[in-house]
PDB file of all heavy atoms in Angstrom:
ATOM      1  N   HIS A   1       0.857  -1.179   0.000  1.00 93.00           N
ATOM      2  CA  HIS A   1       0.000   0.000   0.000  1.00 93.00           C
ATOM      3  C   HIS A   1       0.896   1.232   0.000  1.00 93.00           C
ATOM      4  O   HIS A   1       1.908   1.265   0.696  1.00 93.00           O
ATOM      5  CB  HIS A   1      -0.915   0.032   1.231  1.00 93.00           C
ATOM      6  CG  HIS A   1      -2.055  -0.939   1.148  1.00 93.00           C
ATOM      7  ND1 HIS A   1      -3.187  -0.701   0.410  1.00 93.00           N
ATOM      8  CD2 HIS A   1      -2.221  -2.165   1.718  1.00 93.00           C
ATOM      9  CE1 HIS A   1      -4.017  -1.731   0.526  1.00 93.00           C
ATOM     10  NE2 HIS A   1      -3.451  -2.632   1.308  1.00 93.00           N
ATOM     11  N   ALA A   2       0.529   2.225  -0.775  1.00 91.00           N
ATOM     12  CA  ALA A   2       1.292   3.472  -0.808  1.00 91.00           C
ATOM     13  C   ALA A   2       0.694   4.456   0.196  1.00 91.00           C
ATOM     14  O   ALA A   2      -0.531   4.584   0.296  1.00 91.00           O
ATOM     15  CB  ALA A   2       1.274   4.063  -2.210  1.00 91.00           C
ATOM     16  N   ASP A   3       1.557   5.145   0.974  1.00 88.00           N
ATOM     17  CA  ASP A   3       1.059   6.126   1.933  1.00 88.00           C
ATOM     18  C   ASP A   3       0.740   7.444   1.208  1.00 88.00           C
ATOM     19  O   ASP A   3       0.801   7.522  -0.030  1.00 88.00           O
ATOM     20  CB  ASP A   3       2.060   6.339   3.074  1.00 88.00           C
ATOM     21  CG  ASP A   3       3.419   6.849   2.579  1.00 88.00           C
ATOM     22  OD1 ASP A   3       3.474   7.385   1.447  1.00 88.00           O
ATOM     23  OD2 ASP A   3       4.396   6.716   3.323  1.00 88.00           O
ATOM     24  N   LYS A   4       0.404   8.467   1.959  1.00 87.00           N
ATOM     25  CA  LYS A   4      -0.007   9.745   1.362  1.00 87.00           C
ATOM     26  C   LYS A   4       1.106  10.378   0.531  1.00 87.00           C
ATOM     27  O   LYS A   4       0.844  11.132  -0.404  1.00 87.00           O
ATOM     28  CB  LYS A   4      -0.451  10.710   2.461  1.00 87.00           C
ATOM     29  CG  LYS A   4      -1.741  10.289   3.148  1.00 87.00           C
ATOM     30  CD  LYS A   4      -2.117  11.257   4.249  1.00 87.00           C
ATOM     31  CE  LYS A   4      -3.411  10.823   4.935  1.00 87.00           C
ATOM     32  NZ  LYS A   4      -3.790  11.746   6.049  1.00 87.00           N
ATOM     33  N   GLN A   5       2.339  10.067   0.888  1.00 88.00           N
ATOM     34  CA  GLN A   5       3.476  10.604   0.130  1.00 88.00           C
ATOM     35  C   GLN A   5       3.829   9.692  -1.070  1.00 88.00           C
ATOM     36  O   GLN A   5       4.754   9.968  -1.813  1.00 88.00           O
ATOM     37  CB  GLN A   5       4.709  10.739   1.026  1.00 88.00           C
ATOM     38  CG  GLN A   5       4.635  11.886   2.035  1.00 88.00           C
ATOM     39  CD  GLN A   5       3.707  11.576   3.195  1.00 88.00           C
ATOM     40  OE1 GLN A   5       3.688  10.451   3.690  1.00 88.00           O
ATOM     41  NE2 GLN A   5       2.922  12.566   3.616  1.00 88.00           N
ATOM     42  N   GLY A   6       3.083   8.625  -1.216  1.00 86.00           N
ATOM     43  CA  GLY A   6       3.329   7.705  -2.325  1.00 86.00           C
ATOM     44  C   GLY A   6       4.401   6.674  -2.037  1.00 86.00           C
ATOM     45  O   GLY A   6       4.806   5.919  -2.925  1.00 86.00           O
ATOM     46  N   LYS A   7       4.861   6.608  -0.780  1.00 92.00           N
ATOM     47  CA  LYS A   7       5.899   5.647  -0.415  1.00 92.00           C
ATOM     48  C   LYS A   7       5.266   4.281  -0.156  1.00 92.00           C
ATOM     49  O   LYS A   7       4.297   4.177   0.601  1.00 92.00           O
ATOM     50  CB  LYS A   7       6.643   6.133   0.830  1.00 92.00           C
ATOM     51  CG  LYS A   7       7.897   5.334   1.144  1.00 92.00           C
ATOM     52  CD  LYS A   7       8.650   5.936   2.318  1.00 92.00           C
ATOM     53  CE  LYS A   7       9.901   5.141   2.632  1.00 92.00           C
ATOM     54  NZ  LYS A   7      10.647   5.693   3.782  1.00 92.00           N
ATOM     55  N   PRO A   8       5.795   3.212  -0.749  1.00 93.00           N
ATOM     56  CA  PRO A   8       5.195   1.880  -0.580  1.00 93.00           C
ATOM     57  C   PRO A   8       5.507   1.261   0.780  1.00 93.00           C
ATOM     58  O   PRO A   8       6.605   1.421   1.309  1.00 93.00           O
ATOM     59  CB  PRO A   8       5.825   1.068  -1.713  1.00 93.00           C
ATOM     60  CG  PRO A   8       7.150   1.728  -1.961  1.00 93.00           C
ATOM     61  CD  PRO A   8       6.937   3.186  -1.685  1.00 93.00           C
ATOM     62  N   HIS A   9       4.530   0.567   1.334  1.00 93.00           N
ATOM     63  CA  HIS A   9       4.687  -0.166   2.594  1.00 93.00           C
ATOM     64  C   HIS A   9       3.976  -1.503   2.473  1.00 93.00           C
ATOM     65  O   HIS A   9       2.997  -1.633   1.735  1.00 93.00           O
ATOM     66  CB  HIS A   9       4.077   0.621   3.757  1.00 93.00           C
ATOM     67  CG  HIS A   9       4.782   1.905   4.080  1.00 93.00           C
ATOM     68  ND1 HIS A   9       5.915   1.955   4.847  1.00 93.00           N
ATOM     69  CD2 HIS A   9       4.505   3.184   3.718  1.00 93.00           C
ATOM     70  CE1 HIS A   9       6.312   3.221   4.955  1.00 93.00           C
ATOM     71  NE2 HIS A   9       5.471   3.983   4.278  1.00 93.00           N
ATOM     72  N   CYS A  10       4.464  -2.497   3.207  1.00 95.00           N
ATOM     73  CA  CYS A  10       3.818  -3.804   3.234  1.00 95.00           C
ATOM     74  C   CYS A  10       2.902  -3.886   4.452  1.00 95.00           C
ATOM     75  O   CYS A  10       3.351  -3.677   5.587  1.00 95.00           O
ATOM     76  CB  CYS A  10       4.852  -4.923   3.282  1.00 95.00           C
ATOM     77  SG  CYS A  10       5.795  -5.093   1.749  1.00 95.00           S
ATOM     78  N   LEU A  11       1.649  -4.207   4.217  1.00 95.00           N
ATOM     79  CA  LEU A  11       0.665  -4.371   5.280  1.00 95.00           C
ATOM     80  C   LEU A  11       0.056  -5.769   5.180  1.00 95.00           C
ATOM     81  O   LEU A  11       0.032  -6.368   4.102  1.00 95.00           O
ATOM     82  CB  LEU A  11      -0.446  -3.320   5.164  1.00 95.00           C
ATOM     83  CG  LEU A  11      -0.013  -1.853   5.220  1.00 95.00           C
ATOM     84  CD1 LEU A  11      -1.216  -0.950   4.970  1.00 95.00           C
ATOM     85  CD2 LEU A  11       0.634  -1.536   6.565  1.00 95.00           C
ATOM     86  N   CYS A  12      -0.451  -6.265   6.304  1.00 96.00           N
ATOM     87  CA  CYS A  12      -1.056  -7.587   6.307  1.00 96.00           C
ATOM     88  C   CYS A  12      -2.256  -7.644   5.373  1.00 96.00           C
ATOM     89  O   CYS A  12      -3.092  -6.736   5.350  1.00 96.00           O
ATOM     90  CB  CYS A  12      -1.502  -7.979   7.717  1.00 96.00           C
ATOM     91  SG  CYS A  12      -0.137  -8.441   8.813  1.00 96.00           S
ATOM     92  N   GLN A  13      -2.318  -8.724   4.613  1.00 96.00           N
ATOM     93  CA  GLN A  13      -3.464  -8.976   3.758  1.00 96.00           C
ATOM     94  C   GLN A  13      -4.694  -9.237   4.633  1.00 96.00           C
ATOM     95  O   GLN A  13      -4.623 -10.005   5.597  1.00 96.00           O
ATOM     96  CB  GLN A  13      -3.183 -10.211   2.890  1.00 96.00           C
ATOM     97  CG  GLN A  13      -4.387 -10.823   2.203  1.00 96.00           C
ATOM     98  CD  GLN A  13      -4.861  -9.992   1.017  1.00 96.00           C
ATOM     99  OE1 GLN A  13      -4.071  -9.653   0.157  1.00 96.00           O
ATOM    100  NE2 GLN A  13      -6.137  -9.677   0.989  1.00 96.00           N
ATOM    101  N   ASP A  14      -5.802  -8.593   4.320  1.00 96.00           N
ATOM    102  CA  ASP A  14      -7.054  -8.873   5.022  1.00 96.00           C
ATOM    103  C   ASP A  14      -7.593 -10.191   4.488  1.00 96.00           C
ATOM    104  O   ASP A  14      -7.944 -10.288   3.300  1.00 96.00           O
ATOM    105  CB  ASP A  14      -8.062  -7.749   4.758  1.00 96.00           C
ATOM    106  CG  ASP A  14      -9.413  -8.013   5.426  1.00 96.00           C
ATOM    107  OD1 ASP A  14      -9.529  -9.018   6.153  1.00 96.00           O
ATOM    108  OD2 ASP A  14     -10.344  -7.219   5.195  1.00 96.00           O
ATOM    109  N   PRO A  15      -7.660 -11.250   5.323  1.00 96.00           N
ATOM    110  CA  PRO A  15      -8.135 -12.555   4.829  1.00 96.00           C
ATOM    111  C   PRO A  15      -9.513 -12.470   4.173  1.00 96.00           C
ATOM    112  O   PRO A  15      -9.793 -13.197   3.215  1.00 96.00           O
ATOM    113  CB  PRO A  15      -8.179 -13.410   6.102  1.00 96.00           C
ATOM    114  CG  PRO A  15      -7.185 -12.769   7.018  1.00 96.00           C
ATOM    115  CD  PRO A  15      -7.286 -11.303   6.739  1.00 96.00           C
ATOM    116  N   ALA A  16     -10.362 -11.585   4.682  1.00 95.00           N
ATOM    117  CA  ALA A  16     -11.713 -11.461   4.134  1.00 95.00           C
ATOM    118  C   ALA A  16     -11.703 -10.853   2.733  1.00 95.00           C
ATOM    119  O   ALA A  16     -12.680 -10.988   1.985  1.00 95.00           O
ATOM    120  CB  ALA A  16     -12.583 -10.614   5.061  1.00 95.00           C
ATOM    121  N   ALA A  17     -10.612 -10.179   2.372  1.00 95.00           N
ATOM    122  CA  ALA A  17     -10.527  -9.529   1.054  1.00 95.00           C
ATOM    123  C   ALA A  17      -9.846 -10.416   0.007  1.00 95.00           C
ATOM    124  O   ALA A  17      -9.669  -9.979  -1.139  1.00 95.00           O
ATOM    125  CB  ALA A  17      -9.773  -8.213   1.183  1.00 95.00           C
ATOM    126  N   CYS A  18      -9.472 -11.638   0.381  1.00 96.00           N
ATOM    127  CA  CYS A  18      -8.835 -12.545  -0.578  1.00 96.00           C
ATOM    128  C   CYS A  18      -9.834 -12.934  -1.668  1.00 96.00           C
ATOM    129  O   CYS A  18     -11.040 -13.060  -1.396  1.00 96.00           O
ATOM    130  CB  CYS A  18      -8.338 -13.807   0.133  1.00 96.00           C
ATOM    131  SG  CYS A  18      -6.882 -13.545   1.178  1.00 96.00           S
ATOM    132  N   PRO A  19      -9.365 -13.125  -2.880  1.00 94.00           N
ATOM    133  CA  PRO A  19     -10.279 -13.508  -3.962  1.00 94.00           C
ATOM    134  C   PRO A  19     -10.903 -14.876  -3.697  1.00 94.00           C
ATOM    135  O   PRO A  19     -10.301 -15.715  -3.028  1.00 94.00           O
ATOM    136  CB  PRO A  19      -9.364 -13.540  -5.199  1.00 94.00           C
ATOM    137  CG  PRO A  19      -7.982 -13.683  -4.666  1.00 94.00           C
ATOM    138  CD  PRO A  19      -7.972 -12.994  -3.344  1.00 94.00           C
ATOM    139  N   PRO A  20     -12.103 -15.107  -4.204  1.00 93.00           N
ATOM    140  CA  PRO A  20     -12.769 -16.406  -3.985  1.00 93.00           C
ATOM    141  C   PRO A  20     -11.973 -17.540  -4.624  1.00 93.00           C
ATOM    142  O   PRO A  20     -11.275 -17.344  -5.615  1.00 93.00           O
ATOM    143  CB  PRO A  20     -14.131 -16.225  -4.665  1.00 93.00           C
ATOM    144  CG  PRO A  20     -13.938 -15.100  -5.628  1.00 93.00           C
ATOM    145  CD  PRO A  20     -12.918 -14.195  -5.019  1.00 93.00           C
ATOM    146  N   THR A  21     -12.079 -18.720  -4.031  1.00 93.00           N
ATOM    147  CA  THR A  21     -11.333 -19.882  -4.528  1.00 93.00           C
ATOM    148  C   THR A  21     -12.279 -21.052  -4.767  1.00 93.00           C
ATOM    149  O   THR A  21     -13.403 -21.080  -4.259  1.00 93.00           O
ATOM    150  CB  THR A  21     -10.260 -20.324  -3.520  1.00 93.00           C
ATOM    151  OG1 THR A  21     -10.885 -20.621  -2.263  1.00 93.00           O
ATOM    152  CG2 THR A  21      -9.218 -19.244  -3.307  1.00 93.00           C
ATOM    153  N   LYS A  22     -11.796 -22.022  -5.516  1.00 93.00           N
ATOM    154  CA  LYS A  22     -12.526 -23.270  -5.743  1.00 93.00           C
ATOM    155  C   LYS A  22     -12.215 -24.233  -4.597  1.00 93.00           C
ATOM    156  O   LYS A  22     -11.235 -24.067  -3.872  1.00 93.00           O
ATOM    157  CB  LYS A  22     -12.094 -23.907  -7.062  1.00 93.00           C
ATOM    158  CG  LYS A  22     -12.199 -22.981  -8.269  1.00 93.00           C
ATOM    159  CD  LYS A  22     -13.639 -22.720  -8.658  1.00 93.00           C
ATOM    160  CE  LYS A  22     -13.699 -21.911  -9.955  1.00 93.00           C
ATOM    161  NZ  LYS A  22     -15.091 -21.558 -10.322  1.00 93.00           N
ATOM    162  N   ASP A  23     -13.027 -25.260  -4.455  1.00 91.00           N
ATOM    163  CA  ASP A  23     -12.820 -26.248  -3.387  1.00 91.00           C
ATOM    164  C   ASP A  23     -11.428 -26.884  -3.470  1.00 91.00           C
ATOM    165  O   ASP A  23     -10.797 -27.135  -2.442  1.00 91.00           O
ATOM    166  CB  ASP A  23     -13.886 -27.347  -3.451  1.00 91.00           C
ATOM    167  CG  ASP A  23     -15.250 -26.861  -2.970  1.00 91.00           C
ATOM    168  OD1 ASP A  23     -15.304 -25.743  -2.401  1.00 91.00           O
ATOM    169  OD2 ASP A  23     -16.255 -27.571  -3.162  1.00 91.00           O
ATOM    170  N   TYR A  24     -10.951 -27.143  -4.695  1.00 89.00           N
ATOM    171  CA  TYR A  24      -9.658 -27.809  -4.839  1.00 89.00           C
ATOM    172  C   TYR A  24      -8.477 -26.902  -4.479  1.00 89.00           C
ATOM    173  O   TYR A  24      -7.336 -27.357  -4.412  1.00 89.00           O
ATOM    174  CB  TYR A  24      -9.485 -28.385  -6.249  1.00 89.00           C
ATOM    175  CG  TYR A  24      -9.511 -27.358  -7.365  1.00 89.00           C
ATOM    176  CD1 TYR A  24      -8.378 -26.592  -7.675  1.00 89.00           C
ATOM    177  CD2 TYR A  24     -10.658 -27.165  -8.129  1.00 89.00           C
ATOM    178  CE1 TYR A  24      -8.400 -25.663  -8.689  1.00 89.00           C
ATOM    179  CE2 TYR A  24     -10.693 -26.232  -9.151  1.00 89.00           C
ATOM    180  CZ  TYR A  24      -9.561 -25.487  -9.437  1.00 89.00           C
ATOM    181  OH  TYR A  24      -9.582 -24.551 -10.451  1.00 89.00           O
ATOM    182  N   GLU A  25      -8.761 -25.624  -4.251  1.00 93.00           N
ATOM    183  CA  GLU A  25      -7.701 -24.684  -3.868  1.00 93.00           C
ATOM    184  C   GLU A  25      -7.620 -24.504  -2.350  1.00 93.00           C
ATOM    185  O   GLU A  25      -6.768 -23.769  -1.859  1.00 93.00           O
ATOM    186  CB  GLU A  25      -7.933 -23.322  -4.534  1.00 93.00           C
ATOM    187  CG  GLU A  25      -7.821 -23.355  -6.056  1.00 93.00           C
ATOM    188  CD  GLU A  25      -8.161 -22.021  -6.706  1.00 93.00           C
ATOM    189  OE1 GLU A  25      -9.288 -21.523  -6.511  1.00 93.00           O
ATOM    190  OE2 GLU A  25      -7.286 -21.478  -7.402  1.00 93.00           O
ATOM    191  N   HIS A  26      -8.506 -25.162  -1.610  1.00 96.00           N
ATOM    192  CA  HIS A  26      -8.484 -25.075  -0.155  1.00 96.00           C
ATOM    193  C   HIS A  26      -7.187 -25.683   0.385  1.00 96.00           C
ATOM    194  O   HIS A  26      -6.613 -26.587  -0.225  1.00 96.00           O
ATOM    195  CB  HIS A  26      -9.682 -25.795   0.453  1.00 96.00           C
ATOM    196  CG  HIS A  26     -10.985 -25.094   0.183  1.00 96.00           C
ATOM    197  ND1 HIS A  26     -12.207 -25.585   0.593  1.00 96.00           N
ATOM    198  CD2 HIS A  26     -11.251 -23.925  -0.452  1.00 96.00           C
ATOM    199  CE1 HIS A  26     -13.169 -24.752   0.221  1.00 96.00           C
ATOM    200  NE2 HIS A  26     -12.610 -23.744  -0.423  1.00 96.00           N
ATOM    201  N   VAL A  27      -6.739 -25.174   1.523  1.00 95.00           N
ATOM    202  CA  VAL A  27      -5.522 -25.691   2.153  1.00 95.00           C
ATOM    203  C   VAL A  27      -5.780 -25.911   3.641  1.00 95.00           C
ATOM    204  O   VAL A  27      -6.679 -25.311   4.227  1.00 95.00           O
ATOM    205  CB  VAL A  27      -4.328 -24.725   1.972  1.00 95.00           C
ATOM    206  CG1 VAL A  27      -3.973 -24.569   0.501  1.00 95.00           C
ATOM    207  CG2 VAL A  27      -4.606 -23.367   2.597  1.00 95.00           C
ATOM    208  N   CYS A  28      -4.975 -26.784   4.225  1.00 95.00           N
ATOM    209  CA  CYS A  28      -5.098 -27.071   5.652  1.00 95.00           C
ATOM    210  C   CYS A  28      -3.911 -26.467   6.390  1.00 95.00           C
ATOM    211  O   CYS A  28      -2.755 -26.666   6.004  1.00 95.00           O
ATOM    212  CB  CYS A  28      -5.145 -28.579   5.887  1.00 95.00           C
ATOM    213  SG  CYS A  28      -5.442 -29.035   7.621  1.00 95.00           S
ATOM    214  N   GLY A  29      -4.187 -25.702   7.431  1.00 95.00           N
ATOM    215  CA  GLY A  29      -3.129 -25.105   8.240  1.00 95.00           C
ATOM    216  C   GLY A  29      -2.689 -26.049   9.341  1.00 95.00           C
ATOM    217  O   GLY A  29      -3.367 -27.037   9.645  1.00 95.00           O
ATOM    218  N   THR A  30      -1.554 -25.744   9.957  1.00 92.00           N
ATOM    219  CA  THR A  30      -1.066 -26.580  11.054  1.00 92.00           C
ATOM    220  C   THR A  30      -1.936 -26.449  12.303  1.00 92.00           C
ATOM    221  O   THR A  30      -1.738 -27.177  13.275  1.00 92.00           O
ATOM    222  CB  THR A  30       0.392 -26.208  11.404  1.00 92.00           C
ATOM    223  OG1 THR A  30       0.509 -24.771  11.486  1.00 92.00           O
ATOM    224  CG2 THR A  30       1.352 -26.709  10.348  1.00 92.00           C
ATOM    225  N   ASP A  31      -2.919 -25.526  12.262  1.00 95.00           N
ATOM    226  CA  ASP A  31      -3.896 -25.422  13.350  1.00 95.00           C
ATOM    227  C   ASP A  31      -5.088 -26.329  13.093  1.00 95.00           C
ATOM    228  O   ASP A  31      -6.100 -26.257  13.792  1.00 95.00           O
ATOM    229  CB  ASP A  31      -4.360 -23.971  13.516  1.00 95.00           C
ATOM    230  CG  ASP A  31      -4.927 -23.386  12.218  1.00 95.00           C
ATOM    231  OD1 ASP A  31      -4.875 -24.080  11.176  1.00 95.00           O
ATOM    232  OD2 ASP A  31      -5.420 -22.247  12.245  1.00 95.00           O
ATOM    233  N   ASN A  32      -4.959 -27.198  12.068  1.00 94.00           N
ATOM    234  CA  ASN A  32      -6.012 -28.144  11.670  1.00 94.00           C
ATOM    235  C   ASN A  32      -7.297 -27.423  11.252  1.00 94.00           C
ATOM    236  O   ASN A  32      -8.394 -27.938  11.425  1.00 94.00           O
ATOM    237  CB  ASN A  32      -6.319 -29.152  12.785  1.00 94.00           C
ATOM    238  CG  ASN A  32      -6.968 -30.414  12.239  1.00 94.00           C
ATOM    239  OD1 ASN A  32      -6.654 -30.846  11.123  1.00 94.00           O
ATOM    240  ND2 ASN A  32      -7.886 -30.999  12.989  1.00 94.00           N
TER     241      ASN A  32
END
């Protein structure tokens, strides 16, 4: 994301804003 001065910064991806996926693209985390 670029700040007001146009300088780029890395921010956490909002999980809710991730693009939709198909069932075969699902993954399992180590938290089961």
Side-chain angles (χ1 to χ4, degrees):
H1 285 281
D3 60 20
K4 292 179 180 179
Q5 287 75 40
K7 190 175 180 181
H9 294 278
C10 291
L11 301 175
C12 285
Q13 165 75 51
D14 178 4
C18 288
T21 57
K22 306 289 186 184
D23 286 349
Y24 62 80
E25 295 175 302
H26 291 178
V27 297
C28 185
T30 46
D31 56 355
N32 202 34

